[in-house]
Amino acid sequence: MRAVDFLLSIKRGEIDDVKLIEGFRERVIAEDEKYNIFITLAEPDEAFHRKRLLSGVPIAVKDNIVTKNLRTTCASQVLENFVPSYDATVVERIKSEGGVIVGKTNMDEFAMGALGTTSYFGPTRNPLNPSLSPGGSSSGSAAAISSGLVPMALGSDTGGSIRLPAAWTGIYGLKPTYGLVSRYGLVSYSDSLDQIGPMASSIFDLELLFGVIMGWDEKDPTTYDKHVPSEVFIKRAFMNPDPHIMRNLRVALLKEPLVHEDADQKVVDRFMDYVSELEAYGAVVEEVSIPLVNKAPQIYYVIAFSDASSNLARYSGLLYGKRVVDVIDTDWDEYYMRNRKLFGWEVKRRILLGSFILSAGYYEMYYDRALRARAKLYDELNKVLAKYDVIATPGSNIPPLPLDFDASDLSRLNAIDSLLVIANLAGLPAIVIPLEVSTNTPISIQLISQKWSEDILFEIGKYIALYISKLERELEA
Amino acid sequence: MKKIEFTDDFIKHLEWLARIELEDSEKKRLKEELALLLRYIDDVLSIDVEGYSPYIYPKPSMELREDIPVSDEDAYSYLSRLALEEGFVKGPVVIKKK
């Protein structure tokens, strides 16, 4: 059931608002065995705020977003026993609107990974096909929605971590404009790329959750106070889209992900069938080429790994993190180095490479240059967005990879990274909308628009969900 | 910049920079994967960035809030998880006894 329908039924007095969380724990225990979705379960609390926007809606939260008195591990042994003393701003906003936080979802360790397989607590499986990866790093949040356990969840997206799992599990996901959702309480990986965002089984629920969590926050100085008011999104979450939205919509079809040497031709062909449908409904679609997109993952690696090496320096067992040795047993340097052995391999290699990039002689060579290349990419994307309403790509140009895929195969990862990381590098909003859902080859579309224009993405998204993919009709039925 | 050689000394230097001690098997794996990763990110060097300044934060003009202390009624309950001794919080030892 969609949360928006549930909430309307409560308003009309047809059902009680504790109905959705009844029996939740039993359902989770049954499903979790199959997919390994949750790291920590909260006891569903019936003492939520009544008669508010999300009253009684069960919501899952990625385990890198802090929750008061509820363990937050970042899927790492390092934070295995960390219980925060405060809520992230997004969690606080959900609770104040009556939403019920039901648990913390599995993820790649410290959000580092594309397959949901680097978690200390084991990999998450894809509910569409348990032998496949659900995509990472917000793997558990996506699986919680795709398996039908919750209608909505929070994820975080540093280089596609909301959108890839959305694409591979057949759900909706939004990476908001950088600065439109507070990062206060998000465990940092790469500060200028990280962004919290909503994930949902319905585009209407996605817009509702976004409306609740978005907006300026005095606790996050990178948030912005000039944007479309949250009330607009909340109101529109219960409304059908503008019926004329497709008429003369200018769509830039990005060439590079379609002709990438590792793109899957079947996925691309099926995606193009849907692009033809957009045209049939009145959109003007033109192909554009930005060759720099193919090198965006390399720019991303340099910046993100360097940031990670700095951000994760705090986990030494002193202020944060598990302590396996004390200073009293050893000297200060060894204390630091031995406590940090607890990181998993993917985290270690990113910190190691990041530390190298930032070291004397290499900072200018790699890091400074990557920041300049980022400026160039930002410029090139915005030139396209000055002429078109949105840039379109597949949500993923390959089908979900098997769980045992060798993540050192950078070529296939480049195919998906290149279409995803561009939105993070430029701070632009990007939405993934499922087009068809199947056990091996789900098809989706990603739309990227100008900063602060999430309202356009939701209007187009709703139109596609209702009239082109028709997936929303199945939820309504 | 001279070509990087993945020697034992180089790996030891990286361990030191990152402050992470590696097992022998991890050192071997790191040598293999670093070669691939560095070749991959070397693509950044071929991008013509003439005329572009470093782009760090999408919104560079950050405003900070007033630093006003707030009280947390639950504060004592967090402290009680640590070892409280005679009104003091007992932290980890951070200096070595001589």
Side-chain angles (χ1 to χ4, degrees), chain A residues 25 37 43 144 166 262 265 285 384 426 432 450 452:
Chain A
R25 206 175 172 90
I37 295 170
E43 196 61 56
D262 278 289
Q265 202 51 49
V285 182
V384 171
V432 161
Q450 286 185 359
W452 326 112

Side-chain angles (χ1 to χ4, degrees), chain A residues 108-304:
Chain A
D108 282 294
E109 186 180 2
F110 281 101
M112 298 181 193
L115 304 176
T117 52
T118 69
S119 168
Y120 171 65
F121 301 92
T124 313
R125 295 178 178 275
N126 191 331
L128 297 179
N129 180 341
S131 68
L132 300 177
S133 158
S137 63
S138 307
S139 51
S141 289
I145 296 164
S146 180
S147 64
L149 283 175
V150 294
M152 45 175 79
L154 290 179
S156 71
D157 192 317
T158 304
S161 285
I162 285 175
R163 292 163 289 148
L164 185 66
W168 283 5
T169 61
I171 64 161
Y172 299 84
L174 173 80
K175 185 209 85 75
T177 304
Y178 183 86
L180 194 44
V181 174
S182 169
R183 289 179 298 112
Y184 179 74
L186 172 68
V187 177
S188 291
Y189 161 22
S190 178
D191 304 74
S192 69
L193 300 169
D194 295 338
Q195 188 62 76
I196 292 174
M199 304 169 85
S201 53
S202 152
I203 183 77
F204 293 88
D205 288 354
L206 190 82
E207 187 165 25
L208 179 62
L209 182 57
F210 176 67
V212 169
I213 62 171
M214 66 165 284
W216 178 76
D217 175 20
E218 68 162 9
K219 293 173 183 166
D220 177 357
T222 59
T223 53
Y224 204 72
D225 57 358
K226 293 178 184 63
H227 50 72
V228 177
S230 58
E231 293 76 19
V232 170
F233 295 99
I234 290 164
K235 191 176 163 197
R236 286 187 187 168
F238 296 91
M239 292 164 62
N240 279 338
D242 172 3
H244 306 299
I245 188 80
M246 281 293 158
R247 210 173 288 168
N248 298 320
L249 182 79
R250 292 160 303 160
V251 179
L253 183 65
L254 193 59
K255 181 182 170 188
E256 281 68 24
L258 305 174
V259 298
H260 193 286
E261 60 181 4
D262 278 289
D264 183 277
Q265 202 51 49
K266 275 187 198 159
V267 171
V268 171
D269 289 346
R270 197 71 192 108
F271 169 74
M272 289 306 294
D273 291 342
Y274 284 101
V275 171
S276 302
E277 287 213 43
L278 293 181
E279 289 181 295
Y281 278 91
V284 178
V285 182
E286 290 173 352
E287 190 176 89
V288 298
S289 173
I290 307 177
L292 185 55
V293 165
N294 284 331
K295 290 181 180 172
Q298 290 87 323
I299 301 170
Y300 169 83
Y301 271 39
V302 171
I303 296 171

Side-chain angles (χ1 to χ4, degrees), chain A residues 68-69 83-86 178 183 191-192 218-219 221-224 292 295 297-299 301-302 305 317-318 323 326-334 336-338 340-341 343 345 348-349 351-353 355-357 359 361-362 365-366 368-376 378-379 383 408 410 414 417 425-427 451, chain B residues 1-6 10-23 25-31 33-34 36-66 68 70 72-75 77-78 81 91-97:
Chain A
K68 186 172 180 175
N69 294 330
V83 181
S85 59
Y86 68 100
Y178 183 86
R183 289 179 298 112
D191 304 74
S192 69
E218 68 162 9
K219 293 173 183 166
T222 59
T223 53
Y224 204 72
L292 185 55
K295 290 181 180 172
Q298 290 87 323
I299 301 170
Y301 271 39
V302 171
F305 291 13
L318 181 59
R323 195 178 315 128
D326 261 317
V327 177
I328 202 161
D329 305 319
T330 175
D331 62 32
W332 175 251
D333 291 327
E334 205 183 326
Y336 207 95
M337 290 179 79
R338 282 177 56 192
R340 286 159 65 79
K341 285 174 75 170
F343 285 125
W345 177 248
K348 279 180 188 169
R349 72 172 193 153
I351 294 175
L352 284 154
L353 184 61
S355 305
F356 168 71
I357 291 167
S359 66
Y362 296 99
M365 184 174 162
Y366 288 113
D368 183 77
R369 195 172 192 93
L371 292 179
R372 290 173 197 274
R374 182 182 185 181
K376 185 175 186 175
Y378 176 84
D379 197 35
K383 275 181 189 156
S408 62
L410 295 170
N414 181 279
D417 284 345
L425 288 166
K451 283 183 181 180
Chain B
M1 191 67 58
K2 72 173 184 179
K3 192 174 177 299
I4 300 159
E5 288 178 28
F6 302 102
F10 176 73
I11 297 298
K12 203 173 172 184
H13 176 61
L14 283 191
E15 284 182 87
W16 168 249
L17 287 176
R19 301 293 197 278
I20 296 175
E21 188 180 296
L22 297 176
E23 302 288 343
S25 60
E26 290 179 320
K27 288 176 187 171
K28 187 171 172 281
R29 187 175 176 183
L30 184 65
K31 280 183 190 174
E33 294 189 12
L34 262 188
L36 283 173
L37 280 168
L38 283 175
R39 209 161 43 236
Y40 188 58
I41 65 167
D42 270 353
D43 274 351
V44 169
L45 308 181
S46 65
I47 301 170
D48 178 11
V49 294
E50 185 71 36
Y52 289 95
S53 303
Y55 181 77
I56 302 172
Y57 274 89
K59 184 200 163 203
S61 58
M62 295 193 292
E63 293 144 21
L64 299 175
R65 69 179 188 274
E66 288 292 310
I68 303 165
V70 288
D72 183 343
E73 289 170 6
D74 294 334
S77 70
Y78 311 134
R81 281 203 290 269
V93 179
V94 293
I95 48 169
K96 200 173 178 179
K97 286 181 183 170

